[in-house]
């Protein structure tokens, strides 16, 4: 049997300038990845609000295929005194998701900063713009105004909050962060399993330490370790090809091969290295990029993967303005590229 692709698109809710109607016009689009972005980290995601969001998505003819993300409160990550209470709240959100019938939850365990870029409008030779990361530029970022903010961050922090948080992370090295992640997983995985929710940790983006803070979900070995911490099918990963692909030493196909059963969600995008710890987000189909998307899609197809797969960040093309990485046009091109790759996997070879 041919596996069916659950092609999905991230949508930021009714204030997103990319409408559900436009998303639904993308050929083969079936799912929406979304969340309740106004709820502060640590608070329970209300069941009736999740239901409403699901209904809105279904009214557009689409399926609510994944939540991205319920933010993990910093205190859970650094292991503060309130963490049990906060973990209980997280478990309640997972229960609510499960009861409403949303099958996948992605989350991350990056201290203070979520995904990070140093330029949101890096101009390419063809005049399009994209996001990029240059390690040397990171050092020049002025944090006296706080963390700044990128789409999908759990929270942006003011300079004052940032200073307090940094102090809380003093003494939290990689080992301690792993312990805190294990503590969190031991509480949430059984709940996810019971309520039919598949957890998909998002790899750290970029997959190395920034601003002196530890980052641990940075390699194939780390993903494997994560899966072994609580050995349940509900405890899985989001294969974000662009996050992991930023480190050319990471073999995305080997991850699918080794951990394929735990891949519950796929973010498909491409990046191109410009130097050590220096990359930009190129178009999905770029054959000179770091990410072998045709081989990745084939590997997923061959394993019968039917979880949500979404084209991740796009460039800004054709004069579009909007949320960094989350415009319509280039992501729609990415979606169609993925569809083409997937469809080709199902075609029988023609006799010559
Ligand atoms: C960026 C996204 C991230 C992602 C979180 C998952 O575009 O991939 O914001 O949603 O890291 O928790």
């Amino acid at each position: 049997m041919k596996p069916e692709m659950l092609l999905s698109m991230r949508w930021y809710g009714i204030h997103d300038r990319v409408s559900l109607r436009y998303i639904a016009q993308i050929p083969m689009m079936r799912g929406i990845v979304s969340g309740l972005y106004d709820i502060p980290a640590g608070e329970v995601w209300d069941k009736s609000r999740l239901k409403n969001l699901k209904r809105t998505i279904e009214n557009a003819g689409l399926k609510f295929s994944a939540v991205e993300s319920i933010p993990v409160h910093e205190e859970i990550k650094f292991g503060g005194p309130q963490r049990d209470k906060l973990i209980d709240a997280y478990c309640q959100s997972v229960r609510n998701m499960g009861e409403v019938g949303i099958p996948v939850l992605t989350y991350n365990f990056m201290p203070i900063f979520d995904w990070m870029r140093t330029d949101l409008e890096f101009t390419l030779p063809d005049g399009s713009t994209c996001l990029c990361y240059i390690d040397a530029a990171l050092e020049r970022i002025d944090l006296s105004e706080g963390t700044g903010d990128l789409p999908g961050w759990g929270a942006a922090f003011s300079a004052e909050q940032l200073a307090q948080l940094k102090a809380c992370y003093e003494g939290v090295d990689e080992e301690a962060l792993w312990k805190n992640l294990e503590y969190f997983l031991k509480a949430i995985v059984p709940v996810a399993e019971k309520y039919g929710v598949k957890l998909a940790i998002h790899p750290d983006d970029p997959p190395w330490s920034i601003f002196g803070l530890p980052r641990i979900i940075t390699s194939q070995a780390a993903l494997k370790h994560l899966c072994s911490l609580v050995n349940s099918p509900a405890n899985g990963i989001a294969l974000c090809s662009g996050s992991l692909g930023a480190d050319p030493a990471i073999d995305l196909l080997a991850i699918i091969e080794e951990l394929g059963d735990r891949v519950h969600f796929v973010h498909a995008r491409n990046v191109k290295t410009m130097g050590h710890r220096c990359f930009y987000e190129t178009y999905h189909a770029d054959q000179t990029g770091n990410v072998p998307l045709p081989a990745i899609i084939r590997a997923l197809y061959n394993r019968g993967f039917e979880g949500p797969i979404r084209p991740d960040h796009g460039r800004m093309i054709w004069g579009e303005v909007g949320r960094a990485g989350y415009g319509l046009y280039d992501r729609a091109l990415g979606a169609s590229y993925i569809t083409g790759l997937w469809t080709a996997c199902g075609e029988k070879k023609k006799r010559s």
Side-chain angles (χ1 to χ4, degrees):
M1 275 255 290
K2 290 183 183 178
E4 260 197 73
M5 179 177 60
L6 181 47
L7 184 66
S8 302
M9 188 89 150
R10 190 165 190 183
W11 179 65
Y12 282 90
I14 47 165
H15 300 298
D16 195 326
R17 51 165 95 200
V18 180
S19 68
L20 278 181
R21 201 164 72 89
Y22 283 4
I23 292 175
Q25 289 170 353
I26 299 169
M28 305 297 284
M29 189 53 65
R30 292 175 57 215
I32 286 292
V33 173
S34 193
L36 301 172
Y37 297 117
D38 58 322
I39 300 189
E43 285 181 22
V44 175
W45 283 27
D46 182 67
K47 207 199 283 184
S48 65
R49 287 201 55 198
L50 282 168
K51 256 192 201 149
N52 283 342
L53 182 58
K54 187 164 176 259
R55 194 171 310 123
T56 306
I57 292 168
E58 288 172 353
N59 285 342
L62 297 161
K63 175 185 157 81
F64 195 167
S65 57
V67 159
E68 178 172 352
S69 314
I70 303 180
V72 178
H73 195 281
E74 294 302 319
E75 197 145 334
I76 297 176
K77 291 184 250 174
F78 66 73
Q82 301 294 320
R83 73 168 159 180
D84 288 335
K85 212 176 81 196
L86 291 159
I87 291 175
D88 282 350
Y90 205 96
C91 288
Q92 189 54 46
S93 299
V94 173
R95 270 185 215 105
N96 290 350
M97 260 188 70
E99 284 180 353
V100 168
I102 309 160
V104 174
L105 166 62
T106 193
Y107 67 100
N108 74 76
F109 217 74
M110 290 177 255
I112 308 182
F113 298 85
D114 195 308
W115 63 301
M116 191 66 204
R117 296 292 180 270
T118 56
D119 188 352
L120 308 185
E121 282 183 75
F122 181 69
T123 305
L124 297 169
D126 65 3
S128 61
T129 63
C130 69
L131 293 91
C132 84
Y133 175 98
I134 297 172
D135 218 34
L138 190 79
E139 281 154 31
R140 292 193 296 270
I141 286 184
D142 176 13
L143 291 176
S144 65
E145 297 291 320
T147 54
D149 191 7
L150 276 172
W153 279 32
F157 298 108
S158 68
E160 231 184 329
Q161 290 169 320
L162 182 59
Q164 278 170 7
L165 274 175
K166 280 204 129 180
C168 295
Y169 275 99
E170 248 159 55
V172 179
D173 57 9
E174 290 184 7
E175 204 185 322
L177 195 59
W178 271 116
K179 286 233 161 68
N180 295 343
L181 176 54
E182 181 173 4
Y183 188 88
F184 174 64
L185 287 174
K186 290 214 154 117
I188 64 161
V189 173
V191 177
E193 192 173 316
K194 182 163 172 210
Y195 285 81
V197 174
K198 289 180 176 164
L199 299 171
I201 198 162
H202 190 285
D204 299 347
D205 182 1
W208 50 76
S209 160
I210 57 167
F211 299 121
L213 291 160
R215 285 193 159 196
I216 53 176
I217 308 299
T218 53
S219 65
Q220 182 171 344
L223 291 167
K224 186 175 175 193
H225 184 55
L226 174 282
C227 292
S228 74
L229 286 176
V230 179
N231 193 14
S232 154
N235 179 28
I237 64 182
L239 186 84
C240 178
S241 64
S243 303
L244 296 164
D247 178 350
I250 295 179
D251 182 343
L252 289 151
L253 293 167
I255 295 177
I256 300 174
E257 170 98 30
E258 185 177 43
L259 302 171
D261 293 345
R262 298 288 186 93
V263 174
H264 295 325
F265 188 16
V266 174
H267 285 184
R269 71 178 160 88
N270 207 342
V271 289
K272 195 160 171 169
T273 297
M274 297 184 279
H276 181 62
R277 295 193 168 174
C278 185
F279 62 87
Y280 68 90
E281 298 185 350
T282 186
Y283 56 95
H284 291 77
D286 188 350
Q287 299 302 298
T288 67
N290 295 11
V291 176
L293 270 180
I296 289 172
I297 298 295
R298 180 169 290 280
L300 292 167
Y301 183 97
N302 288 343
R303 293 191 73 101
F305 177 75
E306 289 195 329
I309 172 164
R310 71 169 180 87
D312 207 355
H313 311 163
R315 303 160 301 149
M316 284 300 170
I317 58 173
W318 304 335
E320 187 177 19
V321 285
R323 199 183 292 263
Y326 286 96
L328 173 64
Y329 305 151
D330 202 37
R331 282 192 301 153
L333 290 179
S336 285
Y337 178 60
I338 295 163
T339 298
L341 293 173
W342 188 277
T343 312
C345 293
E347 292 294 303
K348 293 216 176 70
K349 273 198 186 129
K350 286 215 178 73
R351 286 204 198 107
S352 50

